[in-house]
Each structure stands twice: as structure tokens, then as C-alpha cells.
Amino acid sequence: SQQGEEDPQALSIQEGENATMNCSYKTSINNLQWYRQNSGRGLVHLILIRSNEREKHSGRLRVTLDTSKKSSSLLITASRAADTASYFCATDAPNDYKLSFGAGTTVTVRA
Amino acid sequence: SQTIHQWPATLVQPVGSPLSLECTVEGTSNPNLYWYRQAAGRGLQLLFYSVGIGQISSEVPQNLSASRPQDRQFILSSKKLLLSDSGFYLCACLPAEMNTEAFFGQGTRLTVV
């Protein structure tokens, strides 16, 4: 079964706007990662946030983690048409080697 | 840096035929290796993972099997394909310590006809 669930399933925004998507998970984690997938391709890593971290930034990306709520958010600021893709969160748990993914959020950025 | 080679990129196979998808890793030793399947427009379903040679954990009972004959080689197989085996298969590699990003192959799009 999938550990993470992204929300919303789909998001359509205008270029220049911000895009926010959320990920909820069920069990304790070591790390939470966000990945991006362009249509029909492999996944590309965006950001890893550890369970003892609350926020991380990378360029136009900002990730937050709230372990008390078992949730994370990914914010893409000043979106571009090239940000159009599916975004997935993935978690790994203590004493477990599984890397479990959520169902993903499909983001469409309109020019 | 780590590199994953996954082939073939596209495969069309008849129902009942065998399957062998191969994934090899460069740039790391003793990685954790994963096979995922992705249905169209859906998330990634973990099929198998391996923490070492000959060590395979299965997540979902199904028509597929996996093997790890060498440290950096992970193979997904089936003796007889079903229509429901169609999908996008992804191989992934994660260092044994788990505290870093996973690397993905480019995927194999399998269509069973």
C-alpha cells in the first residue's frame, strides 16, 4: 500500500503564480523526498528533508515538514511552463528499506 | 555519481510470453534496489526491493518475480505475461544508508497484447 498521499491530484495555474501541493503519510519516517516526473520519463529528485528538519529551500522550491501532522508541503514559486510535470512525495521509515511513493500531483502551468 | 541503466525503453509482448527487464547500476556499491510499476496517470507501486545479492522482498503478490544475481544488477521477470502486467516499470537505486536521494532509470513501457 502507498504510504504517502498527495493533495490535490491535479493543479492548473498561470505562469508566474505559486503552486502548492501537500503530502500526507501514515507512519513515522526517517526522510521525506519530493520528486518530479515529466510525462513518460523517469523521476528526478528535487529535495530531501529529514524527520528532524522543518523546512528546506532549493531555488524556487520550498519544502516544509510537520511530523506531528504527518504531512509535508512543496511550494513552487514563480512557476514556469517548464514546471509542468507530476510531483511525488516518497518516504522511508525507521528500520525499513522500502521507499514508498504517493499517488502524485499533476501540475499544469499555463503560459 | 550514480547512474542507472534500464532497458529496453519500450516493449510489446504477447500474452503468455516471458519477460525479462534488466537494470544495472554504476557508481555505487551495495545499493538498495527497487522495481516499481506505474499505471497511466497513477503513482508508483513498489513491486520488489533488494538490500543485497540474492535478497528479494516482494510487496505485492503477482505474476512477476525479481532476482539480484550481482551487487549492481536487478532483474524483473515473468514466465507468462498477463494483460494486467502492462505498465511503466521503473528501476531505482538508493545508497544503503538511505539518507540521500534515489536515482531512477528511464523506465520501460511494457504493453502486453
Side-chain angles (χ1 to χ4, degrees):
Chain A
S1 62
Q2 292 178 330
Q3 160 79 312
E5 293 294 335
E6 284 89 344
D7 168 53
Q9 289 186 331
L11 185 60
S12 181
I13 56 174
Q14 201 71 32
E15 204 166 26
E17 294 180 338
N18 296 341
T20 300
M21 60 211 85
N22 304 295
C23 167
S24 59
Y25 55 92
K26 300 173 185 174
T27 63
S28 296
I29 62 170
N30 277 336
N31 307 289
L32 186 144
Q33 307 187 44
W34 284 92
Y35 289 83
R36 164 200 170 111
Q37 183 183 35
N38 288 90
S39 180
R41 305 295 298 275
L43 275 71
V44 175
H45 182 260
L46 297 177
I47 288 185
L48 179 150
I49 186 165
R50 306 187 196 288
S51 60
N52 62 352
E53 298 176 313
R54 292 296 167 259
E55 187 171 315
K56 286 191 85 168
H57 297 256
S58 176
R60 295 183 294 111
L61 306 179
R62 172 178 170 252
V63 167
T64 62
L65 178 65
D66 186 336
T67 53
S68 67
K69 295 181 179 178
K70 291 186 170 60
S71 69
S72 173
S73 69
L74 170 66
L75 168 68
I76 305 173
T77 60
S79 63
R80 306 166 181 170
D83 294 326
T84 295
S86 293
Y87 293 82
F88 296 90
C89 68
T91 57
D92 63 89
N95 303 312
D96 193 347
Y97 297 104
K98 288 185 287 189
L99 182 64
S100 300
F101 282 79
T105 294
T106 299
V107 175
T108 302
V109 181
R110 305 185 305 274
Chain B
S1 63
Q2 298 172 48
T3 306
I4 296 185
H5 301 281
Q6 184 183 343
W7 67 92
T10 305
L11 193 58
V12 179
Q13 291 284 100
V15 169
S17 64
L19 173 73
S20 180
L21 301 181
E22 188 163 343
C23 171
T24 59
V25 179
E26 294 178 357
T28 186
S29 296
N30 195 32
N32 295 333
L33 298 175
Y34 304 82
W35 277 112
Y36 293 89
R37 178 169 60 201
Q38 185 178 31
R42 305 292 297 275
L44 277 70
Q45 179 187 34
L46 180 61
L47 301 177
F48 301 95
Y49 65 96
S50 171
V51 299
I53 296 173
Q55 300 180 60
I56 307 295
S57 296
S58 174
E59 281 298 289
V60 182
Q62 58 206 316
N63 187 40
L64 302 169
S65 62
S67 62
R68 187 170 176 176
Q70 300 180 44
D71 180 46
R72 289 174 281 182
Q73 184 185 29
F74 204 24
I75 298 172
L76 183 69
S77 304
S78 173
K79 292 182 179 178
K80 289 185 178 181
L81 283 169
L82 305 172
L83 287 174
S84 58
D85 292 323
S86 294
F88 190 53
Y89 290 82
L90 286 158
C91 177
C93 163
L94 193 61
E97 63 268 21
M98 300 286 287
N99 285 333
T100 185
E101 65 184 275
F103 291 85
F104 280 81
Q106 285 304 300
T108 296
R109 185 159 305 281
L110 171 66
T111 303
V112 182
V113 296

